[in-house]
Structures are given as C-alpha cells and as structure tokens.
Amino acid sequence: LTSRKQWVCWRLVPDKDGKDKKMPFNPITGRPAASNNPATWADYATAAGAVERYGFTGLGFMFSKDDGLVGVDVDHCYDPATQTFNDTAKAIIARQPTYIEFSPSGTGVHLFYKGRMPGNGNKNTKTGAEMYEHTRYFTMTGKKLDGASETIAEDNGTLKWIHETYIRSPKRQKKKSNKNAAVPLSDDALLEIAQNAENGEAFSKLWAGSWQGDYASQSEADMALCCRLAFWSGK
C-alpha cells in the first residue's frame, strides 16, 4: 500500500448536523481531497509528513478503479477490554488470511484483498460490514492485527462470500398489498433501503455531505439529495 500514490490525510470535521465526519485532505495543499480525483492524493511519505505539518489526525488510503484492491470494513466488532471480536468479525477474519489492521477507534478492523467487488451494495448497518473498491478511502493506522498476514491476499471467493453473507440484503417475497394502505417507514429503514440500492453509493456520498468533485456547488448537491429523498420517501 505504501508504494502507491493513493494517500491522503484526514481529520474530524462537523457536518451540518454537528456530527463529526472523517474528511480527507490533500497532503500537498492541505485542502480537501476528493475520492474521484487522484490529483488530490499523494505518495505515502508526503502524506505522513503532512500529518504533523498541517495538524491532521491521521493517514488515509484511497481506493481507485484500476488498483485491483477491495477493502472490507467491519465496524464496532472488537471489545478492547476483553480483547474479543464479535461473531461477524471472527468469521470474516478466519475465512482467508490477508492483511488486517485496526481502525482508528480500536473497535473495528480493515481487511484488504486483491480482487473485484462481487455485486452491488456496499454497506449493511445490521452486520456492521462494508465493502469498497473505488471512490472511497479507509483511515489507516498501521496497527496490524496479531497473526494477520504481512501481505494482501488474492481473493479466493472470500469477497463473494462476505458480500452475500454480511452485506447484501436478503430478497423479500413480494406480498399483495392494499395500494390505499400507507406503510410507514422509520427514517433509519428508509435510509438503509436507499443506501443498499443499485445507486446507493451515490446516495450515501450525498447523505454524508461529500459532494465535492461531483457537483458544481453545494446547492446543486443539496437539490440532488432532496430529489433522491423524495423518490425513496414517496414525496
């Protein structure tokens, strides 16, 4: 990973709701970096030096369409007090040896594979598992999991298994319904449906406030988000 020119820096930045988001920054200019613009990334040494120079929190690795890498993120799966993983993380870690490191929180892990995404949908909030191969970055720590491989493994079917088991939402049998009967959805349920749809990645970026590089202004991005919300909520 350190030999690739795909490194950025990051720090916590409050969004419009006051929630802290891990925002990527260009190590050379100190300005925001874009996940779809390699010109805003740098080599590892430059990024590492920029952490102290600009006061960033840490380093991040950007995935690109042509790097042949896939990242799997399992959130809130490790208890530092008991030093134990939950069942989801245990199964994924045991499936195939590869390079694995702890996330900055110390309660999640990042796994890396050489391969391609096996299907649509990147995130499942119920299992805490996510999978990405481009237009996304992982915050990096270098804190390798004890016993994990020093190298990134060639996918041997593990990515498909992870996607089918922990990321893809199960298909539900269609039921006859009364068109006049309203079926209310909670906000969380509606967001999960939108984020797991075929174009869920684009929705997730807008929802997270990451519009730079895709829209000319934040106003246009807000309008695009409103249109998507109108669609999924039935206006």
Side-chain angles (χ1 to χ4, degrees):
L1 296 176
T2 56
S3 68
R4 298 169 183 260
K5 194 177 179 181
Q6 294 172 231
W7 290 86
V8 294
C9 301
W10 68 274
R11 71 160 61 103
L12 295 175
V13 177
D15 63 11
K16 59 184 178 181
D17 296 321
K19 296 181 180 179
D20 287 336
K21 299 292 185 181
K22 298 184 181 74
M23 297 299 295
F25 287 85
N26 185 330
I28 298 174
T29 65
R31 298 175 62 83
S35 59
N36 61 352
N37 184 5
T40 63
W41 314 341
D43 60 87
Y44 176 80
T46 300
V51 171
E52 183 175 351
R53 184 166 68 252
Y54 290 114
F56 291 121
T57 305
L59 297 172
F61 181 83
M62 285 283 186
F63 292 94
S64 69
K65 291 183 179 180
D66 57 358
D67 64 14
L69 296 175
V70 177
V72 175
D73 179 10
V74 188
D75 282 332
H76 310 299
C77 65
Y78 181 73
D79 184 349
T82 61
Q83 298 185 346
T84 56
F85 287 97
N86 65 17
D87 291 341
T88 297
K90 286 179 181 177
I92 292 176
I93 291 171
R95 185 76 179 191
Q96 180 184 1
T98 191
Y99 177 71
I100 308 169
E101 67 171 43
F102 282 101
S103 62
S105 68
T107 61
V109 289
H110 294 156
L111 303 90
F112 293 82
Y113 302 89
K114 295 178 182 178
R116 307 302 302 182
M117 275 276 294
N120 295 319
N122 302 95
K123 182 177 182 179
N124 188 316
T125 55
K126 292 183 179 179
T127 64
E130 304 176 37
M131 182 181 294
Y132 302 96
E133 68 174 352
H134 63 81
T135 326
R136 184 78 178 193
Y137 86 105
F138 276 0
T139 51
M140 303 292 290
T141 63
K143 297 177 180 178
K144 187 173 75 73
L145 181 68
D146 288 342
S149 172
E150 294 282 353
T151 58
I152 298 174
E154 292 279 357
D155 174 39
N156 63 4
T158 296
L159 291 174
K160 181 179 180 181
W161 173 79
I162 293 174
H163 198 275
E164 292 180 348
T165 308
Y166 297 106
I167 295 179
R168 188 175 67 180
S169 297
K171 293 183 179 179
R172 298 178 180 178
Q173 186 177 1
K174 292 183 179 180
K175 298 180 180 180
K176 293 183 179 179
S177 60
N178 180 358
K179 293 183 179 180
N180 296 322
V183 182
L185 282 177
S186 68
D187 289 350
D188 289 341
L190 186 147
L191 290 173
E192 183 174 351
I193 292 173
Q195 290 170 339
N196 287 320
E198 186 172 352
N199 62 347
E201 184 175 339
F203 177 91
S204 297
K205 287 181 63 180
L206 285 169
W207 183 251
S210 179
W211 57 269
Q212 297 87 346
D214 295 325
Y215 295 87
S217 68
Q218 186 171 356
S219 296
E220 293 179 40
D222 288 343
M223 177 59 74
L225 175 60
C226 287
C227 289
R228 292 174 188 268
L229 287 171
F231 173 82
W232 287 110
S233 64
K235 300 183 181 179

